[in-house]
Amino acid sequence: MKLLKYFLLTLILLNMTSFSLTVLGSGAGSLFSALLFGCTLLYYFLNTKPKPQLIFILLGLCYFLISGLKYSGPIREFFVDAIKYFIFIVGAVSIAKDTNRKEIGWIIFIGAMSVLINAVVFSNAYGRYGGFYINPNRAGGACLLAFSLTFYLQKTYLKLFIQLLIVIAGIMTLSRTFILMLLVINLIAIFANKKNSISLVAGSVAIVLVLTVSSLFNLNTVRFSAFKSIFGSEEMETKTITRGSRNETWALYTDIILNNPVTGIGYNGLHGKQANVNIKSGVHNTFLMAIGESGIITFLLFIILYLALFFRSLKHIKSNPEYTCIATVLISFLLVSHNYFDNYLILFFSIWLYDQVKSKSEYKISQIPVKL
């Protein structure tokens, strides 16, 4: 059973379905997709059935039922996406319950290292790297999750070395969100325990190393120049840093969202795919995607779910700072991405974190002595 669990964790955390589709073609992509959902169902039926996480089921029902009312695209695509989502969120609870932070941490670390290998061995003209995650922004999120899961490590030198590698990999994505959230994660960890301030050393050394040997990497010239300006003596390239920022993209959908706040405009309406929406790019914000495609109820469920994850994780910040770091990374990722219901990496971390903070809270309550 452990072998099946690790196989599933590899498929999910290393983004094997999308990676195989992009690199090996549609045949391999279909095979890995079938393996993911087939093995998820198998794992669920072969294990003790845990209680389903109802909030994710309710979220999916609201989104697909309401957004489906105005959907005019291929009906097969709609039903396949919905079925995949529900299979995953029901089956992944079993996997999440059987997975500890060490297991999830090492596998996502491998994912982060794929970004570094991509930059060193398989460089490209684009100059931004995603490794197994293909998309550099998604890869940046994976590196942040990997960094968050290093705070449980007890051996200082091992922790610093792993953090150093992760930060270098994250820089290779040239993601603006990665740089900002790396600082936020470090501040959260330092608040939890001042000893975690040593992690700033890993980030600082990584930045110095990349700036020193940048000629060895084929990095996007415009983005890397802006990155250097943040830490250099020259004037910061504010225009480059803010060009094409997410708030500019969000503004494109303002009228569409305000004109349809109750039920939205339908499934995939803010993904840049619908013919009746004359905007080529997606909204790049899960919360706006929710209200724009499925209305206010789905939007509120998203807010409630992820605020609950964040505030519940705060209760354990002294003992498990990685929980608050992961919750923060998840929220930040949702603020800059409109892919949620088919983003199995983010879904799995959400399910895993929900189980962790809930089970620890229930454990503490059960330990309260009862006086008769």
Side-chain angles (χ1 to χ4, degrees), residues 179-192:
I179 301 299
L180 174 62
M181 294 311 301
L182 182 65
L183 175 61
V184 173
I185 289 172
N186 275 289
L187 292 176
I188 290 172
I190 293 169
F191 176 78

Side-chain angles (χ1 to χ4, degrees), residues 73-183:
I75 195 68
R76 182 180 180 277
E77 177 184 337
F78 174 80
F79 279 110
V80 168
D81 290 347
I83 291 169
K84 284 182 176 180
Y85 171 79
F86 287 110
I87 288 175
F88 187 82
I89 60 164
V90 172
V93 177
S94 297
I95 309 168
K97 278 188 172 294
D98 293 341
T99 304
N100 59 45
R101 60 185 179 179
K102 181 179 179 180
E103 292 169 327
I104 199 174
W106 281 112
I107 295 176
I108 197 70
F109 171 69
I110 294 172
M113 290 305 93
S114 75
V115 181
L116 187 55
I117 293 171
N118 188 184
V120 174
V121 183
F122 304 103
S123 61
N124 55 54
Y126 182 42
R128 296 182 65 196
Y129 302 96
F132 287 141
Y133 306 98
I134 307 299
N135 184 298
N137 294 319
R138 184 175 292 192
C143 290
L144 289 170
L145 291 168
F147 191 89
S148 300
L149 282 162
T150 62
F151 290 111
Y152 79 90
L153 295 172
Q154 299 299 316
K155 296 180 180 179
T156 302
Y157 291 112
L158 175 63
K159 180 194 292 187
L160 286 176
F161 178 67
I162 290 174
Q163 288 178 338
L164 173 67
L165 292 176
I166 293 172
V167 174
I168 293 175
I171 293 174
M172 295 298 104
T173 68
L174 292 179
S175 166
R176 293 169 291 197
T177 303
F178 173 80
I179 301 299
L180 174 62
M181 294 311 301
L182 182 65
L183 175 61

Side-chain angles (χ1 to χ4, degrees), residues 236-290:
M236 186 182 297
E237 295 184 18
T238 308
K239 288 185 178 179
T240 302
I241 294 172
T242 58
R243 183 185 300 149
S245 60
R246 291 293 184 248
N247 60 327
E248 293 180 4
T249 305
W250 303 339
L252 296 175
Y253 285 94
T254 301
D255 291 339
I256 294 174
I257 293 172
L258 292 178
N259 291 334
N260 304 272
V262 179
T263 59
I265 65 169
Y267 181 69
N268 271 347
L270 273 67
H271 282 65
K273 296 180 179 179
Q274 277 203 5
N276 61 336
V277 178
N278 191 27
I279 303 174
K280 293 183 180 180
S281 64
V283 69
H284 290 291
N285 185 305
T286 299
F287 302 102
L288 295 182
M289 178 271 291

Side-chain angles (χ1 to χ4, degrees), residues 32-44:
F32 275 92
S33 180
L35 285 172
L36 171 61
F37 295 104
C39 290
T40 297
L41 284 175
L42 180 64
Y43 193 91
Y44 175 77

Side-chain angles (χ1 to χ4, degrees), residues 20-79:
S20 60
L21 175 64
T22 304
V23 176
L24 301 176
S26 59
S30 298
L31 174 62
F32 275 92
S33 180
L35 285 172
L36 171 61
F37 295 104
C39 290
T40 297
L41 284 175
L42 180 64
Y43 193 91
Y44 175 77
F45 286 113
L46 291 179
N47 283 274
T48 304
K49 309 299 182 295
K51 291 182 179 179
Q53 295 178 355
L54 296 178
I55 182 64
F56 290 97
I57 294 176
L58 181 60
L59 182 64
L61 285 173
C62 285
Y63 175 75
F64 284 105
L65 289 176
I66 298 174
S67 67
L69 294 174
K70 294 185 178 180
Y71 180 62
S72 58
I75 195 68
R76 182 180 180 277
E77 177 184 337
F78 174 80
F79 279 110

Side-chain angles (χ1 to χ4, degrees), residues 13-26:
L13 301 181
L14 300 187
N15 193 44
M16 284 293 104
T17 52
S18 297
F19 179 76
S20 60
L21 175 64
T22 304
V23 176
L24 301 176
S26 59

